Amino acid sequence: ADVDNDTFFLFKSSPYGSVSHSHADQNCFAIMKGGKALAIPSGYYGPSYGMAHHGEWTRATKANNGVLVNGDGQVIRSAKANGHIVDFEERKGMSYVCGDATAAYMGKLERFERHVLFLRPGLILMLDDLVASEVARFQWMLHAFEDMEVGDGQVISRREGKRLDVRLASSEGMALRQTD
C-alpha cells in the first residue's frame, strides 16, 4: 500500500531440500524496506553458474541469513536437507511463522526452530531455538549490500535512505564481527 515505506519479509522453510534450484537456506530470510534490500542472500548466479563461487558460496548456508554450527551450514544438494513450516498465523497487524530446519543440518542439530513475529508496519521479532547434541558454536549470519554498523549487540544495515536496526541477544554470550 505504501511502496516507499512498506516492509517486506521473506522466509523459507521448504520440504524440497537443497536440490535443483534450491539452496541450503532453510529457515533463512531476506528483508526489504521501501523496495531497498537490507538483509540479503549473498552471492551471484548469472554468469557464475557452475563455477566455484556459485557452488561453494551462493548455494551454501554461509551465504544466506541462516545459522552455522561449528562453522558448518546445511547440507548442499540433498533432498533430505529440508525444512518445514511448523506454525503460521495471520491476523490484522501481525503475522507469525515458525520453521523447523533441523533435518537440513543432517545430524549437527537436535533442533532448529526459528520463530518470527512480524508486527506491521515494521517490527520483526525473531527467536532461534537451537539445540545441539554436544557443545557447539553457533554463527548467526546477516548479509547486506553495504557495510553495516556493528556495535554492542546491535547491527545497522542502511541502503539508499532505508535502515534495518537489528538488536541481538543470547543467553550464552556473543561476539559480533563483520567481514567482506
Side-chain angles (χ1 to χ4, degrees), residues 21-76:
H21 292 282
S22 280
H23 295 180
D25 60 354
Q26 306 298 337
N27 280 7
C28 292
F29 64 91
I31 299 174
M32 293 174 62
K33 180 73 173 177
K36 306 303 178 206
L38 296 169
I40 64 164
S42 67
Y44 295 94
Y45 179 73
S48 70
Y49 176 77
M51 299 181 83
H53 175 77
H54 178 251
E56 298 168 26
W57 179 264
T58 304
R59 295 186 66 88
T61 310
K62 62 188 171 187
N64 293 278
N65 298 315
V67 173
L68 304 181
V69 180
N70 294 324
D72 294 325
Q74 301 167 14
V75 175
I76 298 172

Tab-separated table of all heavy atoms in Angstrom, residues 21-76:
chain	number	residue	atom	x	y	z
A	21	HIS	N	17.173	-26.043	-8.058
A	21	HIS	CA	17.387	-24.600	-7.929
A	21	HIS	C	17.361	-24.122	-6.477
A	21	HIS	O	17.516	-22.935	-6.219
A	21	HIS	CB	16.345	-23.836	-8.755
A	21	HIS	CG	16.536	-24.019	-10.222
A	21	HIS	ND1	17.492	-23.344	-10.940
A	21	HIS	CD2	15.922	-24.844	-11.106
A	21	HIS	CE1	17.446	-23.722	-12.203
A	21	HIS	NE2	16.507	-24.625	-12.331
A	22	SER	N	17.148	-25.017	-5.529
A	22	SER	CA	17.122	-24.632	-4.113
A	22	SER	C	18.532	-24.577	-3.538
A	22	SER	O	19.416	-25.315	-3.968
A	22	SER	CB	16.280	-25.612	-3.296
A	22	SER	OG	14.926	-25.320	-3.435
A	23	HIS	N	18.700	-23.725	-2.560
A	23	HIS	CA	19.979	-23.588	-1.871
A	23	HIS	C	19.862	-24.175	-0.472
A	23	HIS	O	18.783	-24.563	-0.041
A	23	HIS	CB	20.361	-22.112	-1.782
A	23	HIS	CG	20.615	-21.501	-3.116
A	23	HIS	ND1	20.963	-20.186	-3.270
A	23	HIS	CD2	20.587	-22.002	-4.375
A	23	HIS	CE1	21.135	-19.900	-4.539
A	23	HIS	NE2	20.906	-20.993	-5.237
A	24	ALA	N	20.960	-24.227	0.249
A	24	ALA	CA	20.982	-24.709	1.629
A	24	ALA	C	20.590	-23.542	2.535
A	24	ALA	O	21.398	-23.018	3.301
A	24	ALA	CB	22.366	-25.250	1.974
A	25	ASP	N	19.324	-23.122	2.420
A	25	ASP	CA	18.864	-21.902	3.112
A	25	ASP	C	17.538	-22.094	3.844
A	25	ASP	O	16.704	-21.201	3.872
A	25	ASP	CB	18.776	-20.745	2.121
A	25	ASP	CG	17.822	-20.998	0.965
A	25	ASP	OD1	17.296	-22.123	0.840
A	25	ASP	OD2	17.595	-20.071	0.173
A	26	GLN	N	17.372	-23.271	4.470
A	26	GLN	CA	16.161	-23.490	5.267
A	26	GLN	C	16.178	-22.565	6.486
A	26	GLN	O	17.209	-22.386	7.131
A	26	GLN	CB	16.072	-24.956	5.719
A	26	GLN	CG	16.174	-25.962	4.588
A	26	GLN	CD	15.044	-25.837	3.577
A	26	GLN	OE1	13.967	-25.321	3.849
A	26	GLN	NE2	15.293	-26.332	2.378
A	27	ASN	N	15.038	-21.965	6.785
A	27	ASN	CA	14.857	-21.010	7.892
A	27	ASN	C	15.633	-19.706	7.675
A	27	ASN	O	15.863	-18.949	8.611
A	27	ASN	CB	15.213	-21.601	9.250
A	27	ASN	CG	14.113	-22.470	9.814
A	27	ASN	OD1	13.118	-22.757	9.166
A	27	ASN	ND2	14.284	-22.921	11.051
A	28	CYS	N	16.028	-19.426	6.450
A	28	CYS	CA	16.712	-18.169	6.150
A	28	CYS	C	15.696	-17.109	5.724
A	28	CYS	O	14.551	-17.421	5.431
A	28	CYS	CB	17.757	-18.381	5.062
A	28	CYS	SG	19.139	-19.395	5.629
A	29	PHE	N	16.142	-15.859	5.703
A	29	PHE	CA	15.224	-14.748	5.440
A	29	PHE	C	15.906	-13.651	4.638
A	29	PHE	O	17.126	-13.602	4.523
A	29	PHE	CB	14.686	-14.171	6.755
A	29	PHE	CG	15.754	-13.563	7.627
A	29	PHE	CD1	16.074	-12.213	7.517
A	29	PHE	CD2	16.460	-14.335	8.534
A	29	PHE	CE1	17.064	-11.647	8.298
A	29	PHE	CE2	17.453	-13.778	9.332
A	29	PHE	CZ	17.760	-12.433	9.200
A	30	ALA	N	15.077	-12.768	4.112
A	30	ALA	CA	15.531	-11.531	3.464
A	30	ALA	C	14.565	-10.438	3.889
A	30	ALA	O	13.384	-10.706	4.163
A	30	ALA	CB	15.538	-11.680	1.950
A	31	ILE	N	15.059	-9.197	3.968
A	31	ILE	CA	14.228	-8.063	4.393
A	31	ILE	C	14.474	-6.889	3.457
A	31	ILE	O	15.619	-6.544	3.150
A	31	ILE	CB	14.546	-7.637	5.843
A	31	ILE	CG1	14.257	-8.788	6.805
A	31	ILE	CG2	13.731	-6.391	6.228
A	31	ILE	CD1	14.675	-8.520	8.245
A	32	MET	N	13.375	-6.287	3.029
A	32	MET	CA	13.434	-5.059	2.237
A	32	MET	C	12.564	-4.012	2.924
A	32	MET	O	11.561	-4.332	3.552
A	32	MET	CB	12.913	-5.299	0.819
A	32	MET	CG	13.792	-6.217	0.011
A	32	MET	SD	13.099	-6.645	-1.600
A	32	MET	CE	13.010	-5.046	-2.381
A	33	LYS	N	12.964	-2.765	2.796
A	33	LYS	CA	12.187	-1.638	3.311
A	33	LYS	C	12.053	-0.647	2.171
A	33	LYS	O	13.062	-0.215	1.601
A	33	LYS	CB	12.889	-0.993	4.509
A	33	LYS	CG	12.171	0.177	5.113
A	33	LYS	CD	10.963	-0.287	5.889
A	33	LYS	CE	10.331	0.881	6.646
A	33	LYS	NZ	9.138	0.468	7.343
A	34	GLY	N	10.839	-0.308	1.822
A	34	GLY	CA	10.624	0.630	0.728
A	34	GLY	C	11.292	0.191	-0.563
A	34	GLY	O	11.804	1.017	-1.311
A	35	GLY	N	11.331	-1.106	-0.797
A	35	GLY	CA	11.946	-1.635	-2.014
A	35	GLY	C	13.462	-1.707	-1.982
A	35	GLY	O	14.085	-2.076	-2.977
A	36	LYS	N	14.084	-1.381	-0.860
A	36	LYS	CA	15.546	-1.418	-0.727
A	36	LYS	C	15.950	-2.640	0.089
A	36	LYS	O	15.486	-2.834	1.209
A	36	LYS	CB	16.082	-0.147	-0.050
A	36	LYS	CG	15.634	1.143	-0.712
A	36	LYS	CD	16.016	1.214	-2.163
A	36	LYS	CE	15.510	2.500	-2.786
A	36	LYS	NZ	15.306	2.407	-4.204
A	37	ALA	N	16.834	-3.455	-0.472
A	37	ALA	CA	17.278	-4.686	0.177
A	37	ALA	C	18.215	-4.375	1.337
A	37	ALA	O	19.273	-3.781	1.141
A	37	ALA	CB	17.965	-5.584	-0.842
A	38	LEU	N	17.824	-4.790	2.553
A	38	LEU	CA	18.612	-4.512	3.751
A	38	LEU	C	19.230	-5.761	4.373
A	38	LEU	O	20.248	-5.680	5.042
A	38	LEU	CB	17.743	-3.791	4.784
A	38	LEU	CG	17.249	-2.416	4.340
A	38	LEU	CD1	16.184	-1.897	5.281
A	38	LEU	CD2	18.403	-1.441	4.233
A	39	ALA	N	18.613	-6.915	4.200
A	39	ALA	CA	19.151	-8.214	4.624
A	39	ALA	C	18.974	-9.139	3.426
A	39	ALA	O	17.841	-9.395	3.012
A	39	ALA	CB	18.407	-8.737	5.842
A	40	ILE	N	20.078	-9.594	2.863
A	40	ILE	CA	20.030	-10.270	1.558
A	40	ILE	C	20.659	-11.666	1.599
A	40	ILE	O	21.527	-11.936	2.425
A	40	ILE	CB	20.782	-9.441	0.493
A	40	ILE	CG1	22.277	-9.349	0.851
A	40	ILE	CG2	20.176	-8.064	0.343
A	40	ILE	CD1	23.170	-8.899	-0.267
A	41	PRO	N	20.254	-12.538	0.679
A	41	PRO	CA	21.074	-13.717	0.402
A	41	PRO	C	22.220	-13.228	-0.483
A	41	PRO	O	21.995	-12.486	-1.429
A	41	PRO	CB	20.126	-14.653	-0.353
A	41	PRO	CG	19.087	-13.761	-0.942
A	41	PRO	CD	19.006	-12.547	-0.059
A	42	SER	N	23.449	-13.589	-0.150
A	42	SER	CA	24.581	-13.050	-0.902
A	42	SER	C	25.046	-14.021	-1.982
A	42	SER	O	24.630	-15.168	-2.027
A	42	SER	CB	25.729	-12.709	0.044
A	42	SER	OG	26.260	-13.882	0.621
A	43	GLY	N	25.922	-13.551	-2.823
A	43	GLY	CA	26.462	-14.358	-3.902
A	43	GLY	C	25.786	-14.030	-5.215
A	43	GLY	O	24.806	-13.293	-5.263
A	44	TYR	N	26.341	-14.577	-6.275
A	44	TYR	CA	25.845	-14.291	-7.612
A	44	TYR	C	25.558	-15.580	-8.355
A	44	TYR	O	26.243	-16.575	-8.182
A	44	TYR	CB	26.881	-13.471	-8.399
A	44	TYR	CG	27.099	-12.116	-7.790
A	44	TYR	CD1	28.127	-11.908	-6.888
A	44	TYR	CD2	26.254	-11.063	-8.097
A	44	TYR	CE1	28.323	-10.670	-6.307
A	44	TYR	CE2	26.441	-9.817	-7.520
A	44	TYR	CZ	27.473	-9.625	-6.635
A	44	TYR	OH	27.654	-8.402	-6.070
A	45	TYR	N	24.575	-15.549	-9.194
A	45	TYR	CA	24.200	-16.687	-10.020
A	45	TYR	C	24.648	-16.392	-11.442
A	45	TYR	O	25.764	-16.681	-11.801
A	45	TYR	CB	22.688	-16.908	-9.931
A	45	TYR	CG	22.184	-18.044	-10.761
A	45	TYR	CD1	22.429	-19.351	-10.378
A	45	TYR	CD2	21.470	-17.816	-11.925
A	45	TYR	CE1	21.970	-20.413	-11.139
A	45	TYR	CE2	21.008	-18.871	-12.689
A	45	TYR	CZ	21.261	-20.167	-12.295
A	45	TYR	OH	20.805	-21.193	-13.047
A	46	GLY	N	23.819	-15.782	-12.218
A	46	GLY	CA	24.121	-15.343	-13.579
A	46	GLY	C	25.266	-16.051	-14.250
A	46	GLY	O	25.261	-17.269	-14.397
A	47	PRO	N	26.305	-15.319	-14.644
A	47	PRO	CA	27.404	-15.926	-15.396
A	47	PRO	C	28.279	-16.851	-14.551
A	47	PRO	O	29.140	-17.529	-15.094
A	47	PRO	CB	28.201	-14.721	-15.899
A	47	PRO	CG	27.853	-13.619	-14.964
A	47	PRO	CD	26.441	-13.885	-14.501
A	48	SER	N	28.077	-16.903	-13.237
A	48	SER	CA	28.933	-17.748	-12.408
A	48	SER	C	28.356	-19.144	-12.183
A	48	SER	O	28.917	-19.937	-11.438
A	48	SER	CB	29.205	-17.071	-11.059
A	48	SER	OG	28.039	-17.042	-10.270
A	49	TYR	N	27.245	-19.479	-12.835
A	49	TYR	CA	26.664	-20.808	-12.658
A	49	TYR	C	27.711	-21.891	-12.958
A	49	TYR	O	28.407	-21.843	-13.964
A	49	TYR	CB	25.454	-21.029	-13.571
A	49	TYR	CG	24.921	-22.434	-13.445
A	49	TYR	CD1	24.149	-22.791	-12.348
A	49	TYR	CD2	25.247	-23.406	-14.368
A	49	TYR	CE1	23.691	-24.088	-12.195
A	49	TYR	CE2	24.797	-24.704	-14.230
A	49	TYR	CZ	24.026	-25.042	-13.137
A	49	TYR	OH	23.576	-26.328	-12.978
A	50	GLY	N	27.799	-22.842	-12.047
A	50	GLY	CA	28.732	-23.948	-12.226
A	50	GLY	C	30.150	-23.645	-11.785
A	50	GLY	O	30.977	-24.548	-11.699
A	51	MET	N	30.440	-22.395	-11.489
A	51	MET	CA	31.778	-22.015	-11.031
A	51	MET	C	31.843	-22.164	-9.506
A	51	MET	O	30.826	-22.310	-8.835
A	51	MET	CB	32.104	-20.599	-11.476
A	51	MET	CG	32.098	-20.460	-13.006
A	51	MET	SD	32.498	-18.800	-13.538
A	51	MET	CE	34.276	-18.899	-13.467
A	52	ALA	N	33.039	-22.110	-8.956
A	52	ALA	CA	33.234	-22.310	-7.513
A	52	ALA	C	32.403	-21.326	-6.683
A	52	ALA	O	31.815	-21.714	-5.670
A	52	ALA	CB	34.710	-22.191	-7.157
A	53	HIS	N	32.334	-20.079	-7.095
A	53	HIS	CA	31.568	-19.093	-6.328
A	53	HIS	C	30.107	-19.520	-6.205
A	53	HIS	O	29.521	-19.446	-5.127
A	53	HIS	CB	31.643	-17.708	-6.966
A	53	HIS	CG	30.779	-16.691	-6.289
A	53	HIS	ND1	31.152	-16.103	-5.090
A	53	HIS	CD2	29.563	-16.182	-6.598
A	53	HIS	CE1	30.202	-15.278	-4.712
A	53	HIS	NE2	29.220	-15.312	-5.613
A	54	HIS	N	29.530	-19.968	-7.266
A	54	HIS	CA	28.129	-20.395	-7.250
A	54	HIS	C	27.942	-21.658	-6.403
A	54	HIS	O	27.105	-21.700	-5.510
A	54	HIS	CB	27.627	-20.643	-8.677
A	54	HIS	CG	26.225	-21.120	-8.708
A	54	HIS	ND1	25.900	-22.404	-9.043
A	54	HIS	CD2	25.061	-20.493	-8.425
A	54	HIS	CE1	24.592	-22.564	-8.962
A	54	HIS	NE2	24.059	-21.416	-8.591
A	55	GLY	N	28.739	-22.683	-6.654
A	55	GLY	CA	28.562	-23.962	-5.980
A	55	GLY	C	28.990	-23.987	-4.528
A	55	GLY	O	28.399	-24.688	-3.719
A	56	GLU	N	30.038	-23.229	-4.195
A	56	GLU	CA	30.585	-23.289	-2.845
A	56	GLU	C	30.213	-22.099	-1.969
A	56	GLU	O	30.440	-22.127	-0.767
A	56	GLU	CB	32.104	-23.425	-2.923
A	56	GLU	CG	32.526	-24.705	-3.609
A	56	GLU	CD	34.001	-24.730	-3.960
A	56	GLU	OE1	34.803	-24.031	-3.291
A	56	GLU	OE2	34.361	-25.434	-4.924
A	57	TRP	N	29.689	-21.036	-2.551
A	57	TRP	CA	29.259	-19.886	-1.753
A	57	TRP	C	27.757	-19.640	-1.897
A	57	TRP	O	27.001	-19.797	-0.951
A	57	TRP	CB	30.037	-18.607	-2.103
A	57	TRP	CG	29.543	-17.452	-1.278
A	57	TRP	CD1	28.626	-16.514	-1.630
A	57	TRP	CD2	29.899	-17.160	0.075
A	57	TRP	NE1	28.382	-15.646	-0.591
A	57	TRP	CE2	29.156	-16.028	0.476
A	57	TRP	CE3	30.762	-17.752	0.994
A	57	TRP	CZ2	29.259	-15.474	1.742
A	57	TRP	CZ3	30.864	-17.179	2.259
A	57	TRP	CH2	30.117	-16.063	2.612
A	58	THR	N	27.318	-19.272	-3.080
A	58	THR	CA	25.925	-18.854	-3.277
A	58	THR	C	24.935	-19.906	-2.802
A	58	THR	O	23.917	-19.567	-2.201
A	58	THR	CB	25.681	-18.535	-4.769
A	58	THR	OG1	26.626	-17.549	-5.180
A	58	THR	CG2	24.280	-18.000	-5.006
A	59	ARG	N	25.195	-21.179	-3.025
A	59	ARG	CA	24.284	-22.253	-2.650
A	59	ARG	C	24.363	-22.594	-1.159
A	59	ARG	O	23.523	-23.309	-0.635
A	59	ARG	CB	24.580	-23.509	-3.462
A	59	ARG	CG	24.330	-23.349	-4.949
A	59	ARG	CD	24.504	-24.670	-5.675
A	59	ARG	NE	23.491	-25.623	-5.291
A	59	ARG	CZ	22.300	-25.731	-5.876
A	59	ARG	NH1	21.983	-24.942	-6.873
A	59	ARG	NH2	21.436	-26.618	-5.453
A	60	ALA	N	25.390	-22.112	-0.465
A	60	ALA	CA	25.676	-22.520	0.915
A	60	ALA	C	24.947	-21.662	1.950
A	60	ALA	O	24.622	-20.505	1.710
A	60	ALA	CB	27.181	-22.457	1.159
A	61	THR	N	24.750	-22.239	3.123
A	61	THR	CA	24.109	-21.544	4.239
A	61	THR	C	24.886	-20.288	4.614
A	61	THR	O	24.297	-19.257	4.941
A	61	THR	CB	24.011	-22.476	5.469
A	61	THR	OG1	23.435	-23.717	5.066
A	61	THR	CG2	23.167	-21.853	6.564
A	62	LYS	N	26.207	-20.343	4.544
A	62	LYS	CA	27.036	-19.197	4.937
A	62	LYS	C	26.749	-17.960	4.096
A	62	LYS	O	27.012	-16.852	4.514
A	62	LYS	CB	28.518	-19.548	4.877
A	62	LYS	CG	29.016	-19.913	3.493
A	62	LYS	CD	30.441	-20.434	3.531
A	62	LYS	CE	30.844	-20.985	2.177
A	62	LYS	NZ	32.142	-21.641	2.260
A	63	ALA	N	26.197	-18.137	2.908
A	63	ALA	CA	25.873	-17.008	2.032
A	63	ALA	C	24.483	-16.443	2.296
A	63	ALA	O	24.087	-15.452	1.701
A	63	ALA	CB	25.957	-17.443	0.575
A	64	ASN	N	23.760	-17.070	3.192
A	64	ASN	CA	22.376	-16.672	3.482
A	64	ASN	C	22.244	-16.215	4.933
A	64	ASN	O	23.175	-16.338	5.717
A	64	ASN	CB	21.449	-17.854	3.199
A	64	ASN	CG	21.405	-18.178	1.718
A	64	ASN	OD1	20.691	-17.548	0.970
A	64	ASN	ND2	22.222	-19.145	1.289
A	65	ASN	N	21.105	-15.704	5.281
A	65	ASN	CA	20.864	-15.233	6.648
A	65	ASN	C	20.360	-16.401	7.485
A	65	ASN	O	19.196	-16.490	7.839
A	65	ASN	CB	19.871	-14.071	6.624
A	65	ASN	CG	20.431	-12.903	5.846
A	65	ASN	OD1	21.587	-12.537	6.010
A	65	ASN	ND2	19.626	-12.321	4.981
A	66	GLY	N	21.293	-17.303	7.751
A	66	GLY	CA	20.992	-18.526	8.482
A	66	GLY	C	21.953	-18.717	9.631
A	66	GLY	O	22.599	-17.775	10.095
A	67	VAL	N	22.082	-19.959	10.077
A	67	VAL	CA	22.915	-20.294	11.227
A	67	VAL	C	23.932	-21.350	10.820
A	67	VAL	O	23.585	-22.338	10.166
A	67	VAL	CB	22.041	-20.824	12.397
A	67	VAL	CG1	22.905	-21.337	13.538
A	67	VAL	CG2	21.102	-19.734	12.893
A	68	LEU	N	25.188	-21.133	11.226
A	68	LEU	CA	26.239	-22.131	11.062
A	68	LEU	C	26.468	-22.810	12.408
A	68	LEU	O	26.371	-22.173	13.459
A	68	LEU	CB	27.542	-21.495	10.586
A	68	LEU	CG	27.498	-20.682	9.295
A	68	LEU	CD1	28.894	-20.152	8.960
A	68	LEU	CD2	26.933	-21.489	8.148
A	69	VAL	N	26.781	-24.094	12.371
A	69	VAL	CA	27.056	-24.874	13.580
A	69	VAL	C	28.511	-25.320	13.502
A	69	VAL	O	28.880	-26.086	12.599
A	69	VAL	CB	26.119	-26.103	13.670
A	69	VAL	CG1	26.407	-26.897	14.935
A	69	VAL	CG2	24.659	-25.673	13.609
A	70	ASN	N	29.319	-24.806	14.420
A	70	ASN	CA	30.762	-25.078	14.400
A	70	ASN	C	31.366	-24.777	13.025
A	70	ASN	O	32.209	-25.510	12.516
A	70	ASN	CB	31.052	-26.520	14.827
A	70	ASN	CG	30.681	-26.759	16.275
A	70	ASN	OD1	30.831	-25.884	17.122
A	70	ASN	ND2	30.151	-27.934	16.556
A	71	GLY	N	30.886	-23.700	12.410
A	71	GLY	CA	31.398	-23.249	11.126
A	71	GLY	C	30.768	-23.918	9.912
A	71	GLY	O	31.093	-23.557	8.782
A	72	ASP	N	29.902	-24.889	10.133
A	72	ASP	CA	29.273	-25.613	9.028
A	72	ASP	C	27.799	-25.246	8.900
A	72	ASP	O	27.113	-25.026	9.901
A	72	ASP	CB	29.368	-27.123	9.239
A	72	ASP	CG	30.793	-27.637	9.182
A	72	ASP	OD1	31.585	-27.089	8.385
A	72	ASP	OD2	31.107	-28.581	9.928
A	73	GLY	N	27.319	-25.256	7.669
A	73	GLY	CA	25.915	-24.983	7.411
A	73	GLY	C	25.140	-26.243	7.080
A	73	GLY	O	25.545	-27.361	7.421
A	74	GLN	N	24.069	-26.055	6.374
A	74	GLN	CA	23.209	-27.146	5.959
A	74	GLN	C	23.868	-27.900	4.800
A	74	GLN	O	24.753	-27.376	4.123
A	74	GLN	CB	21.857	-26.587	5.530
A	74	GLN	CG	21.169	-25.813	6.641
A	74	GLN	CD	19.999	-24.987	6.154
A	74	GLN	OE1	19.514	-25.147	5.041
A	74	GLN	NE2	19.533	-24.069	7.004
A	75	VAL	N	23.401	-29.112	4.575
A	75	VAL	CA	23.936	-29.931	3.500
A	75	VAL	C	23.458	-29.373	2.158
A	75	VAL	O	22.280	-29.062	1.978
A	75	VAL	CB	23.510	-31.400	3.680
A	75	VAL	CG1	23.950	-32.246	2.497
A	75	VAL	CG2	24.089	-31.951	4.979
A	76	ILE	N	24.398	-29.231	1.228
A	76	ILE	CA	24.103	-28.708	-0.108
A	76	ILE	C	23.740	-29.866	-1.037
A	76	ILE	O	24.350	-30.935	-0.979
A	76	ILE	CB	25.324	-27.938	-0.664
A	76	ILE	CG1	25.649	-26.746	0.231
A	76	ILE	CG2	25.094	-27.497	-2.095
A	76	ILE	CD1	26.946	-26.040	-0.123
